[in-house]
Amino acid sequence: MAKQKADFPVSDIRRYLEPGPIVLVSSAWRGERNIMTMGWHTVMEFSPSLVGCVIASGNHSFDLVRHSRQCVINLPTTALTDIVVGIGNCSGADVDKFDKFGLTAQPSHKVKAPLITECHANFECRIKDDALVNRYNFFIFEVVKAHVAPRPKHPQTLHYTGDGVFTVSGKIVSRRNLFRPEML
Amino acid sequence: MAKQKADFPVSDIRRYLEPGPIVLVSSAWRGERNIMTMGWHTVMEFSPSLVGCVIASGNHSFDLVRHSRQCVINLPTTALTDIVVGIGNCSGADVDKFDKFGLTAQPSHKVKAPLITECHANFECRIKDDALVNRYNFFIFEVVKAHVAPRPKHPQTLHYTGDGVFTVSGKIVSRRNLFRPEML
């Protein structure tokens, strides 16, 4: 399941995150590492490449991210469905999730948090703005490096609805011909 | 295409927004009304029911939302694909988009912005926090009233990837049996 990846422009990551997939956030701090599932995120800017997301303070990852000021946002496909669910249903306070789920912690290029080799894409992030962390657990990250597997072009991703149910991205619909060029 | 809707708990709207669909934002201010497409949004809290989103200041809707401090987030399904694209490719400075696209502006219950009858769900919103509007065009809304069509249970929604291409939500995957009850 290890995927070969290519560098990808950080200003184009909306391609993968704007559709709203569940993602895996990997982090590390002082010898500890962890992975959490995250469904509450949004692209905020192309350049600098900004992503805002909620990491609830009850999560074991919250302190790792807050103290290290870094993380990697990893994009799993449906091939990892049961692992995604497993990661969301145990705590890094009790287990090392890389070991438990047989995932590869690969060194990142620009941050110390490891990226997850088995995911389709990896976005290395640094905290850009923590003004809303205390009030809403809302972190604004800058994506400083992106790695994406070139194929498949449209990976099947998981989109969480709550209650244990995901929708899967399916058919691709292009309406490129109906867009004004500056709106693409 | 007009849909019968039922009241829906505002604390449960992640069911529709967490999967990351493109949505239509309707707003009104001093006799003007408008609709815009929006793909940059995230759920931020269950209760109060909070949604954060980016409305770029270049959009005609920006001032309507900022001054009225209200909007409706409407969820279109694939039945409205070409209308969604059309709305994203013209400006409310030039046209009334309700008229142009034959959409029904229905009075909301708790806000003055109209809701779009033809959408599957409508979430009436008031600005909760505008601390990040100047820096990032990022609005935090509280959903104060929700209306949802009871059927279909899993409507086909559009998820934008940029470049004129959408992915469509398809197959439903339940892993409810693998979740710890408190994680559902």
Side-chain angles (χ1 to χ4, degrees), chain A residues 5 17 21-27 34-36 38 71-77 80 84 98 104 106 108 113-125 147:
Chain A
K5 286 166 205 153
L17 293 185
I22 200 88
V23 294
L24 298 175
V25 176
S26 48
S27 57
N34 198 24
I35 311 173
M36 67 172 277
M38 182 171 73
C71 72
V72 181
I73 296 175
N74 305 271
L75 178 68
T77 63
L80 297 179
V84 167
F98 283 96
T104 310
Q106 185 180 326
S108 295
L115 60 81
I116 303 172
T117 305
E118 289 79 3
C119 285
H120 184 82
N122 315 98
F123 306 122
E124 301 184 20
C125 298
H147 316 262

PDB file of all heavy atoms in Angstrom, chain A residues 5 17 21-27 34-36 38 71-77 80 84 98 104 106 108 113-125 147:
ATOM      1  N   LYS A   5       5.078   9.123  -4.451  1.00  0.00           N
ATOM      2  CA  LYS A   5       4.473  10.451  -4.550  1.00  0.00           C
ATOM      3  C   LYS A   5       5.388  11.432  -5.245  1.00  0.00           C
ATOM      4  O   LYS A   5       6.605  11.255  -5.283  1.00  0.00           O
ATOM      5  CB  LYS A   5       4.126  10.968  -3.165  1.00  0.00           C
ATOM      6  CG  LYS A   5       2.908  10.243  -2.615  1.00  0.00           C
ATOM      7  CD  LYS A   5       2.718  10.455  -1.154  1.00  0.00           C
ATOM      8  CE  LYS A   5       1.942   9.283  -0.587  1.00  0.00           C
ATOM      9  NZ  LYS A   5       2.238   9.059   0.819  1.00  0.00           N
ATOM     10  N   LEU A  17      -8.513  18.921  -0.680  1.00  0.00           N
ATOM     11  CA  LEU A  17      -9.173  19.196   0.614  1.00  0.00           C
ATOM     12  C   LEU A  17     -10.539  19.854   0.469  1.00  0.00           C
ATOM     13  O   LEU A  17     -11.412  19.662   1.319  1.00  0.00           O
ATOM     14  CB  LEU A  17      -8.254  20.048   1.501  1.00  0.00           C
ATOM     15  CG  LEU A  17      -6.979  19.331   1.976  1.00  0.00           C
ATOM     16  CD1 LEU A  17      -6.214  20.223   2.948  1.00  0.00           C
ATOM     17  CD2 LEU A  17      -7.293  17.986   2.632  1.00  0.00           C
ATOM     18  N   PRO A  21     -12.886  15.639   2.432  1.00  0.00           N
ATOM     19  CA  PRO A  21     -12.657  14.267   2.896  1.00  0.00           C
ATOM     20  C   PRO A  21     -12.275  14.208   4.374  1.00  0.00           C
ATOM     21  O   PRO A  21     -11.760  15.182   4.930  1.00  0.00           O
ATOM     22  CB  PRO A  21     -11.454  13.827   2.058  1.00  0.00           C
ATOM     23  CG  PRO A  21     -10.676  15.101   1.858  1.00  0.00           C
ATOM     24  CD  PRO A  21     -11.760  16.140   1.628  1.00  0.00           C
ATOM     25  N   ILE A  22     -12.502  13.071   4.979  1.00  0.00           N
ATOM     26  CA  ILE A  22     -11.904  12.818   6.290  1.00  0.00           C
ATOM     27  C   ILE A  22     -10.387  12.711   6.064  1.00  0.00           C
ATOM     28  O   ILE A  22      -9.949  12.169   5.048  1.00  0.00           O
ATOM     29  CB  ILE A  22     -12.485  11.517   6.912  1.00  0.00           C
ATOM     30  CG1 ILE A  22     -12.272  11.483   8.412  1.00  0.00           C
ATOM     31  CG2 ILE A  22     -11.917  10.263   6.279  1.00  0.00           C
ATOM     32  CD1 ILE A  22     -13.356  12.139   9.197  1.00  0.00           C
ATOM     33  N   VAL A  23      -9.627  13.293   6.969  1.00  0.00           N
ATOM     34  CA  VAL A  23      -8.160  13.231   6.844  1.00  0.00           C
ATOM     35  C   VAL A  23      -7.559  12.685   8.139  1.00  0.00           C
ATOM     36  O   VAL A  23      -8.230  12.595   9.173  1.00  0.00           O
ATOM     37  CB  VAL A  23      -7.555  14.623   6.527  1.00  0.00           C
ATOM     38  CG1 VAL A  23      -7.999  15.097   5.143  1.00  0.00           C
ATOM     39  CG2 VAL A  23      -7.906  15.645   7.603  1.00  0.00           C
ATOM     40  N   LEU A  24      -6.298  12.319   8.046  1.00  0.00           N
ATOM     41  CA  LEU A  24      -5.555  11.851   9.216  1.00  0.00           C
ATOM     42  C   LEU A  24      -4.475  12.875   9.532  1.00  0.00           C
ATOM     43  O   LEU A  24      -3.687  13.245   8.659  1.00  0.00           O
ATOM     44  CB  LEU A  24      -4.901  10.489   8.922  1.00  0.00           C
ATOM     45  CG  LEU A  24      -5.866   9.343   8.596  1.00  0.00           C
ATOM     46  CD1 LEU A  24      -5.082   8.081   8.206  1.00  0.00           C
ATOM     47  CD2 LEU A  24      -6.766   9.046   9.796  1.00  0.00           C
ATOM     48  N   VAL A  25      -4.469  13.341  10.772  1.00  0.00           N
ATOM     49  CA  VAL A  25      -3.474  14.327  11.196  1.00  0.00           C
ATOM     50  C   VAL A  25      -2.393  13.605  11.994  1.00  0.00           C
ATOM     51  O   VAL A  25      -2.689  12.979  13.015  1.00  0.00           O
ATOM     52  CB  VAL A  25      -4.124  15.421  12.068  1.00  0.00           C
ATOM     53  CG1 VAL A  25      -3.073  16.389  12.599  1.00  0.00           C
ATOM     54  CG2 VAL A  25      -5.185  16.165  11.272  1.00  0.00           C
ATOM     55  N   SER A  26      -1.163  13.674  11.512  1.00  0.00           N
ATOM     56  CA  SER A  26      -0.052  13.082  12.262  1.00  0.00           C
ATOM     57  C   SER A  26       0.755  14.193  12.913  1.00  0.00           C
ATOM     58  O   SER A  26       0.911  15.285  12.354  1.00  0.00           O
ATOM     59  CB  SER A  26       0.818  12.209  11.353  1.00  0.00           C
ATOM     60  OG  SER A  26       1.154  12.875  10.154  1.00  0.00           O
ATOM     61  N   SER A  27       1.252  13.898  14.114  1.00  0.00           N
ATOM     62  CA  SER A  27       1.982  14.915  14.870  1.00  0.00           C
ATOM     63  C   SER A  27       3.028  14.235  15.742  1.00  0.00           C
ATOM     64  O   SER A  27       2.985  13.015  15.953  1.00  0.00           O
ATOM     65  CB  SER A  27       1.018  15.734  15.728  1.00  0.00           C
ATOM     66  OG  SER A  27       0.287  14.878  16.592  1.00  0.00           O
ATOM     67  N   ASN A  34       1.537  10.709  17.169  1.00  0.00           N
ATOM     68  CA  ASN A  34       0.135  10.296  17.201  1.00  0.00           C
ATOM     69  C   ASN A  34      -0.514  10.546  15.844  1.00  0.00           C
ATOM     70  O   ASN A  34       0.040  11.244  14.977  1.00  0.00           O
ATOM     71  CB  ASN A  34      -0.630  11.046  18.302  1.00  0.00           C
ATOM     72  CG  ASN A  34      -1.939  10.354  18.653  1.00  0.00           C
ATOM     73  OD1 ASN A  34      -2.091   9.142  18.433  1.00  0.00           O
ATOM     74  ND2 ASN A  34      -2.883  11.106  19.171  1.00  0.00           N
ATOM     75  N   ILE A  35      -1.682   9.941  15.691  1.00  0.00           N
ATOM     76  CA  ILE A  35      -2.517  10.143  14.498  1.00  0.00           C
ATOM     77  C   ILE A  35      -3.943  10.358  14.969  1.00  0.00           C
ATOM     78  O   ILE A  35      -4.410   9.652  15.870  1.00  0.00           O
ATOM     79  CB  ILE A  35      -2.515   8.920  13.552  1.00  0.00           C
ATOM     80  CG1 ILE A  35      -1.086   8.429  13.279  1.00  0.00           C
ATOM     81  CG2 ILE A  35      -3.223   9.259  12.243  1.00  0.00           C
ATOM     82  CD1 ILE A  35      -1.048   7.114  12.482  1.00  0.00           C
ATOM     83  N   MET A  36      -4.631  11.313  14.388  1.00  0.00           N
ATOM     84  CA  MET A  36      -6.065  11.457  14.681  1.00  0.00           C
ATOM     85  C   MET A  36      -6.845  11.639  13.374  1.00  0.00           C
ATOM     86  O   MET A  36      -6.288  12.061  12.354  1.00  0.00           O
ATOM     87  CB  MET A  36      -6.337  12.654  15.611  1.00  0.00           C
ATOM     88  CG  MET A  36      -6.055  13.998  15.019  1.00  0.00           C
ATOM     89  SD  MET A  36      -6.632  15.390  16.086  1.00  0.00           S
ATOM     90  CE  MET A  36      -8.378  15.454  15.616  1.00  0.00           C
ATOM     91  N   MET A  38      -9.760  13.601  11.300  1.00  0.00           N
ATOM     92  CA  MET A  38     -10.295  14.965  11.357  1.00  0.00           C
ATOM     93  C   MET A  38     -11.254  15.204  10.192  1.00  0.00           C
ATOM     94  O   MET A  38     -10.900  14.964   9.030  1.00  0.00           O
ATOM     95  CB  MET A  38      -9.150  15.980  11.294  1.00  0.00           C
ATOM     96  CG  MET A  38      -9.633  17.418  11.392  1.00  0.00           C
ATOM     97  SD  MET A  38      -8.267  18.579  11.589  1.00  0.00           S
ATOM     98  CE  MET A  38      -7.573  18.529   9.933  1.00  0.00           C
ATOM     99  N   CYS A  71       2.156  19.839  12.036  1.00  0.00           N
ATOM    100  CA  CYS A  71       1.493  18.547  11.840  1.00  0.00           C
ATOM    101  C   CYS A  71       1.587  18.203  10.365  1.00  0.00           C
ATOM    102  O   CYS A  71       2.073  19.000   9.555  1.00  0.00           O
ATOM    103  CB  CYS A  71       0.024  18.583  12.280  1.00  0.00           C
ATOM    104  SG  CYS A  71      -1.065  19.521  11.182  1.00  0.00           S
ATOM    105  N   VAL A  72       1.147  16.992  10.028  1.00  0.00           N
ATOM    106  CA  VAL A  72       0.951  16.629   8.629  1.00  0.00           C
ATOM    107  C   VAL A  72      -0.507  16.240   8.463  1.00  0.00           C
ATOM    108  O   VAL A  72      -1.055  15.482   9.282  1.00  0.00           O
ATOM    109  CB  VAL A  72       1.859  15.461   8.187  1.00  0.00           C
ATOM    110  CG1 VAL A  72       1.634  15.133   6.712  1.00  0.00           C
ATOM    111  CG2 VAL A  72       3.330  15.798   8.435  1.00  0.00           C
ATOM    112  N   ILE A  73      -1.155  16.797   7.446  1.00  0.00           N
ATOM    113  CA  ILE A  73      -2.513  16.391   7.085  1.00  0.00           C
ATOM    114  C   ILE A  73      -2.376  15.359   5.970  1.00  0.00           C
ATOM    115  O   ILE A  73      -1.831  15.658   4.904  1.00  0.00           O
ATOM    116  CB  ILE A  73      -3.348  17.602   6.627  1.00  0.00           C
ATOM    117  CG1 ILE A  73      -3.516  18.593   7.792  1.00  0.00           C
ATOM    118  CG2 ILE A  73      -4.705  17.145   6.101  1.00  0.00           C
ATOM    119  CD1 ILE A  73      -4.238  19.884   7.408  1.00  0.00           C
ATOM    120  N   ASN A  74      -2.820  14.136   6.257  1.00  0.00           N
ATOM    121  CA  ASN A  74      -2.680  13.010   5.325  1.00  0.00           C
ATOM    122  C   ASN A  74      -4.046  12.634   4.763  1.00  0.00           C
ATOM    123  O   ASN A  74      -5.026  12.589   5.516  1.00  0.00           O
ATOM    124  CB  ASN A  74      -2.107  11.799   6.053  1.00  0.00           C
ATOM    125  CG  ASN A  74      -0.799  12.086   6.772  1.00  0.00           C
ATOM    126  OD1 ASN A  74       0.274  11.966   6.207  1.00  0.00           O
ATOM    127  ND2 ASN A  74      -0.893  12.487   8.042  1.00  0.00           N
ATOM    128  N   LEU A  75      -4.098  12.339   3.491  1.00  0.00           N
ATOM    129  CA  LEU A  75      -5.374  12.012   2.844  1.00  0.00           C
ATOM    130  C   LEU A  75      -5.485  10.509   2.611  1.00  0.00           C
ATOM    131  O   LEU A  75      -4.817   9.964   1.727  1.00  0.00           O
ATOM    132  CB  LEU A  75      -5.474  12.745   1.495  1.00  0.00           C
ATOM    133  CG  LEU A  75      -6.734  12.465   0.686  1.00  0.00           C
ATOM    134  CD1 LEU A  75      -7.963  13.039   1.377  1.00  0.00           C
ATOM    135  CD2 LEU A  75      -6.610  13.031  -0.733  1.00  0.00           C
ATOM    136  N   PRO A  76      -6.339   9.825   3.382  1.00  0.00           N
ATOM    137  CA  PRO A  76      -6.542   8.390   3.144  1.00  0.00           C
ATOM    138  C   PRO A  76      -7.590   8.166   2.062  1.00  0.00           C
ATOM    139  O   PRO A  76      -8.465   9.002   1.851  1.00  0.00           O
ATOM    140  CB  PRO A  76      -7.064   7.891   4.490  1.00  0.00           C
ATOM    141  CG  PRO A  76      -7.834   9.054   5.038  1.00  0.00           C
ATOM    142  CD  PRO A  76      -7.150  10.313   4.515  1.00  0.00           C
ATOM    143  N   THR A  77      -7.509   7.043   1.386  1.00  0.00           N
ATOM    144  CA  THR A  77      -8.560   6.662   0.442  1.00  0.00           C
ATOM    145  C   THR A  77      -9.396   5.547   1.072  1.00  0.00           C
ATOM    146  O   THR A  77      -9.123   5.093   2.185  1.00  0.00           O
ATOM    147  CB  THR A  77      -7.952   6.156  -0.879  1.00  0.00           C
ATOM    148  OG1 THR A  77      -7.195   4.970  -0.589  1.00  0.00           O
ATOM    149  CG2 THR A  77      -7.029   7.204  -1.492  1.00  0.00           C
ATOM    150  N   LEU A  80      -8.228   2.472   3.037  1.00  0.00           N
ATOM    151  CA  LEU A  80      -7.868   2.548   4.456  1.00  0.00           C
ATOM    152  C   LEU A  80      -9.085   2.722   5.374  1.00  0.00           C
ATOM    153  O   LEU A  80      -8.939   3.104   6.538  1.00  0.00           O
ATOM    154  CB  LEU A  80      -6.892   3.712   4.686  1.00  0.00           C
ATOM    155  CG  LEU A  80      -5.530   3.634   3.980  1.00  0.00           C
ATOM    156  CD1 LEU A  80      -4.703   4.881   4.284  1.00  0.00           C
ATOM    157  CD2 LEU A  80      -4.754   2.394   4.407  1.00  0.00           C
ATOM    158  N   VAL A  84      -8.972   4.019   9.220  1.00  0.00           N
ATOM    159  CA  VAL A  84      -9.472   5.355   9.592  1.00  0.00           C
ATOM    160  C   VAL A  84     -10.429   5.241  10.779  1.00  0.00           C
ATOM    161  O   VAL A  84     -10.316   5.997  11.757  1.00  0.00           O
ATOM    162  CB  VAL A  84     -10.180   6.026   8.387  1.00  0.00           C
ATOM    163  CG1 VAL A  84     -10.974   7.248   8.828  1.00  0.00           C
ATOM    164  CG2 VAL A  84      -9.166   6.393   7.310  1.00  0.00           C
ATOM    165  N   PHE A  98       0.670   4.286  14.902  1.00  0.00           N
ATOM    166  CA  PHE A  98       1.439   3.775  13.755  1.00  0.00           C
ATOM    167  C   PHE A  98       1.654   2.275  13.910  1.00  0.00           C
ATOM    168  O   PHE A  98       1.431   1.490  12.979  1.00  0.00           O
ATOM    169  CB  PHE A  98       2.784   4.506  13.638  1.00  0.00           C
ATOM    170  CG  PHE A  98       2.698   5.880  13.042  1.00  0.00           C
ATOM    171  CD1 PHE A  98       2.630   7.007  13.870  1.00  0.00           C
ATOM    172  CD2 PHE A  98       2.680   6.076  11.664  1.00  0.00           C
ATOM    173  CE1 PHE A  98       2.548   8.285  13.332  1.00  0.00           C
ATOM    174  CE2 PHE A  98       2.600   7.349  11.119  1.00  0.00           C
ATOM    175  CZ  PHE A  98       2.540   8.454  11.957  1.00  0.00           C
ATOM    176  N   THR A 104       3.245   3.394   8.180  1.00  0.00           N
ATOM    177  CA  THR A 104       4.641   3.788   8.107  1.00  0.00           C
ATOM    178  C   THR A 104       4.807   5.269   8.425  1.00  0.00           C
ATOM    179  O   THR A 104       4.205   6.113   7.753  1.00  0.00           O
ATOM    180  CB  THR A 104       5.194   3.515   6.690  1.00  0.00           C
ATOM    181  OG1 THR A 104       4.866   2.170   6.334  1.00  0.00           O
ATOM    182  CG2 THR A 104       6.704   3.735   6.637  1.00  0.00           C
ATOM    183  N   GLN A 106       6.938   8.138   7.982  1.00  0.00           N
ATOM    184  CA  GLN A 106       8.036   8.536   7.089  1.00  0.00           C
ATOM    185  C   GLN A 106       8.465   9.961   7.441  1.00  0.00           C
ATOM    186  O   GLN A 106       7.613  10.801   7.731  1.00  0.00           O
ATOM    187  CB  GLN A 106       7.503   8.472   5.655  1.00  0.00           C
ATOM    188  CG  GLN A 106       8.510   8.722   4.561  1.00  0.00           C
ATOM    189  CD  GLN A 106       7.853   8.625   3.185  1.00  0.00           C
ATOM    190  OE1 GLN A 106       6.929   7.821   2.986  1.00  0.00           O
ATOM    191  NE2 GLN A 106       8.300   9.432   2.240  1.00  0.00           N
ATOM    192  N   SER A 108       9.179  13.717   7.255  1.00  0.00           N
ATOM    193  CA  SER A 108       8.707  14.796   6.386  1.00  0.00           C
ATOM    194  C   SER A 108       9.901  15.619   5.913  1.00  0.00           C
ATOM    195  O   SER A 108      11.027  15.415   6.366  1.00  0.00           O
ATOM    196  CB  SER A 108       7.734  15.680   7.163  1.00  0.00           C
ATOM    197  OG  SER A 108       6.569  14.945   7.492  1.00  0.00           O
ATOM    198  N   ALA A 113       6.952  16.400  12.342  1.00  0.00           N
ATOM    199  CA  ALA A 113       5.890  15.393  12.393  1.00  0.00           C
ATOM    200  C   ALA A 113       6.073  14.433  11.221  1.00  0.00           C
ATOM    201  O   ALA A 113       6.412  14.857  10.114  1.00  0.00           O
ATOM    202  CB  ALA A 113       4.522  16.073  12.303  1.00  0.00           C
ATOM    203  N   PRO A 114       5.865  13.126  11.451  1.00  0.00           N
ATOM    204  CA  PRO A 114       6.023  12.166  10.363  1.00  0.00           C
ATOM    205  C   PRO A 114       4.818  12.191   9.431  1.00  0.00           C
ATOM    206  O   PRO A 114       3.699  12.494   9.850  1.00  0.00           O
ATOM    207  CB  PRO A 114       6.092  10.824  11.094  1.00  0.00           C
ATOM    208  CG  PRO A 114       5.288  11.029  12.336  1.00  0.00           C
ATOM    209  CD  PRO A 114       5.491  12.476  12.726  1.00  0.00           C
ATOM    210  N   LEU A 115       5.044  11.860   8.171  1.00  0.00           N
ATOM    211  CA  LEU A 115       3.904  11.693   7.264  1.00  0.00           C
ATOM    212  C   LEU A 115       3.575  10.208   7.169  1.00  0.00           C
ATOM    213  O   LEU A 115       4.403   9.340   7.498  1.00  0.00           O
ATOM    214  CB  LEU A 115       4.182  12.316   5.901  1.00  0.00           C
ATOM    215  CG  LEU A 115       5.353  11.849   5.044  1.00  0.00           C
ATOM    216  CD1 LEU A 115       5.013  10.584   4.276  1.00  0.00           C
ATOM    217  CD2 LEU A 115       5.748  12.960   4.061  1.00  0.00           C
ATOM    218  N   ILE A 116       2.360   9.920   6.744  1.00  0.00           N
ATOM    219  CA  ILE A 116       1.896   8.530   6.654  1.00  0.00           C
ATOM    220  C   ILE A 116       2.048   8.060   5.206  1.00  0.00           C
ATOM    221  O   ILE A 116       1.330   8.513   4.311  1.00  0.00           O
ATOM    222  CB  ILE A 116       0.430   8.407   7.117  1.00  0.00           C
ATOM    223  CG1 ILE A 116       0.277   8.943   8.550  1.00  0.00           C
ATOM    224  CG2 ILE A 116      -0.036   6.953   7.029  1.00  0.00           C
ATOM    225  CD1 ILE A 116      -1.166   9.032   9.032  1.00  0.00           C
ATOM    226  N   THR A 117       3.007   7.153   5.004  1.00  0.00           N
ATOM    227  CA  THR A 117       3.343   6.683   3.655  1.00  0.00           C
ATOM    228  C   THR A 117       2.122   6.145   2.915  1.00  0.00           C
ATOM    229  O   THR A 117       1.969   6.378   1.715  1.00  0.00           O
ATOM    230  CB  THR A 117       4.393   5.559   3.751  1.00  0.00           C
ATOM    231  OG1 THR A 117       5.513   6.045   4.486  1.00  0.00           O
ATOM    232  CG2 THR A 117       4.837   5.104   2.375  1.00  0.00           C
ATOM    233  N   GLU A 118       1.261   5.419   3.615  1.00  0.00           N
ATOM    234  CA  GLU A 118       0.161   4.706   2.948  1.00  0.00           C
ATOM    235  C   GLU A 118      -0.960   5.626   2.472  1.00  0.00           C
ATOM    236  O   GLU A 118      -1.891   5.170   1.799  1.00  0.00           O
ATOM    237  CB  GLU A 118      -0.409   3.648   3.901  1.00  0.00           C
ATOM    238  CG  GLU A 118       0.513   2.461   4.147  1.00  0.00           C
ATOM    239  CD  GLU A 118       1.638   2.760   5.163  1.00  0.00           C
ATOM    240  OE1 GLU A 118       1.663   3.882   5.728  1.00  0.00           O
ATOM    241  OE2 GLU A 118       2.475   1.871   5.378  1.00  0.00           O
ATOM    242  N   CYS A 119      -0.916   6.901   2.813  1.00  0.00           N
ATOM    243  CA  CYS A 119      -1.979   7.814   2.370  1.00  0.00           C
ATOM    244  C   CYS A 119      -1.715   8.324   0.960  1.00  0.00           C
ATOM    245  O   CYS A 119      -0.577   8.335   0.482  1.00  0.00           O
ATOM    246  CB  CYS A 119      -2.108   8.972   3.355  1.00  0.00           C
ATOM    247  SG  CYS A 119      -2.935   8.462   4.894  1.00  0.00           S
ATOM    248  N   HIS A 120      -2.759   8.784   0.290  1.00  0.00           N
ATOM    249  CA  HIS A 120      -2.650   9.231  -1.097  1.00  0.00           C
ATOM    250  C   HIS A 120      -1.886  10.544  -1.212  1.00  0.00           C
ATOM    251  O   HIS A 120      -1.199  10.791  -2.203  1.00  0.00           O
ATOM    252  CB  HIS A 120      -4.046   9.406  -1.696  1.00  0.00           C
ATOM    253  CG  HIS A 120      -4.034   9.765  -3.150  1.00  0.00           C
ATOM    254  ND1 HIS A 120      -3.883   8.816  -4.145  1.00  0.00           N
ATOM    255  CD2 HIS A 120      -4.123  10.959  -3.785  1.00  0.00           C
ATOM    256  CE1 HIS A 120      -3.880   9.416  -5.327  1.00  0.00           C
ATOM    257  NE2 HIS A 120      -4.035  10.718  -5.142  1.00  0.00           N
ATOM    258  N   ALA A 121      -2.024  11.395  -0.214  1.00  0.00           N
ATOM    259  CA  ALA A 121      -1.365  12.704  -0.252  1.00  0.00           C
ATOM    260  C   ALA A 121      -0.975  13.102   1.164  1.00  0.00           C
ATOM    261  O   ALA A 121      -1.582  12.635   2.143  1.00  0.00           O
ATOM    262  CB  ALA A 121      -2.295  13.757  -0.857  1.00  0.00           C
ATOM    263  N   ASN A 122       0.054  13.927   1.274  1.00  0.00           N
ATOM    264  CA  ASN A 122       0.549  14.398   2.578  1.00  0.00           C
ATOM    265  C   ASN A 122       0.825  15.887   2.480  1.00  0.00           C
ATOM    266  O   ASN A 122       1.537  16.324   1.576  1.00  0.00           O
ATOM    267  CB  ASN A 122       1.843  13.676   2.960  1.00  0.00           C
ATOM    268  CG  ASN A 122       1.799  12.184   2.713  1.00  0.00           C
ATOM    269  OD1 ASN A 122       2.282  11.715   1.688  1.00  0.00           O
ATOM    270  ND2 ASN A 122       1.194  11.432   3.606  1.00  0.00           N
ATOM    271  N   PHE A 123       0.281  16.631   3.415  1.00  0.00           N
ATOM    272  CA  PHE A 123       0.459  18.087   3.419  1.00  0.00           C
ATOM    273  C   PHE A 123       1.149  18.485   4.722  1.00  0.00           C
ATOM    274  O   PHE A 123       0.553  18.399   5.802  1.00  0.00           O
ATOM    275  CB  PHE A 123      -0.899  18.775   3.275  1.00  0.00           C
ATOM    276  CG  PHE A 123      -1.676  18.299   2.075  1.00  0.00           C
ATOM    277  CD1 PHE A 123      -2.945  17.743   2.195  1.00  0.00           C
ATOM    278  CD2 PHE A 123      -1.119  18.377   0.805  1.00  0.00           C
ATOM    279  CE1 PHE A 123      -3.647  17.286   1.090  1.00  0.00           C
ATOM    280  CE2 PHE A 123      -1.816  17.918  -0.320  1.00  0.00           C
ATOM    281  CZ  PHE A 123      -3.072  17.373  -0.169  1.00  0.00           C
ATOM    282  N   GLU A 124       2.399  18.891   4.599  1.00  0.00           N
ATOM    283  CA  GLU A 124       3.166  19.287   5.783  1.00  0.00           C
ATOM    284  C   GLU A 124       2.745  20.702   6.188  1.00  0.00           C
ATOM    285  O   GLU A 124       2.727  21.607   5.361  1.00  0.00           O
ATOM    286  CB  GLU A 124       4.666  19.247   5.462  1.00  0.00           C
ATOM    287  CG  GLU A 124       5.160  17.875   5.020  1.00  0.00           C
ATOM    288  CD  GLU A 124       6.673  17.850   4.791  1.00  0.00           C
ATOM    289  OE1 GLU A 124       7.385  18.739   5.320  1.00  0.00           O
ATOM    290  OE2 GLU A 124       7.151  16.949   4.067  1.00  0.00           O
ATOM    291  N   CYS A 125       2.433  20.864   7.462  1.00  0.00           N
ATOM    292  CA  CYS A 125       1.833  22.119   7.943  1.00  0.00           C
ATOM    293  C   CYS A 125       2.576  22.711   9.136  1.00  0.00           C
ATOM    294  O   CYS A 125       3.048  21.973  10.002  1.00  0.00           O
ATOM    295  CB  CYS A 125       0.397  21.866   8.403  1.00  0.00           C
ATOM    296  SG  CYS A 125      -0.712  21.290   7.129  1.00  0.00           S
ATOM    297  N   HIS A 147       2.917  16.490  -0.953  1.00  0.00           N
ATOM    298  CA  HIS A 147       3.313  15.282  -1.691  1.00  0.00           C
ATOM    299  C   HIS A 147       2.023  14.582  -2.127  1.00  0.00           C
ATOM    300  O   HIS A 147       1.153  14.333  -1.277  1.00  0.00           O
ATOM    301  CB  HIS A 147       4.073  14.301  -0.806  1.00  0.00           C
ATOM    302  CG  HIS A 147       5.118  14.932   0.082  1.00  0.00           C
ATOM    303  ND1 HIS A 147       6.446  14.961  -0.246  1.00  0.00           N
ATOM    304  CD2 HIS A 147       5.014  15.545   1.285  1.00  0.00           C
ATOM    305  CE1 HIS A 147       7.133  15.566   0.730  1.00  0.00           C
ATOM    306  NE2 HIS A 147       6.288  15.934   1.664  1.00  0.00           N
TER     307      HIS A 147
END
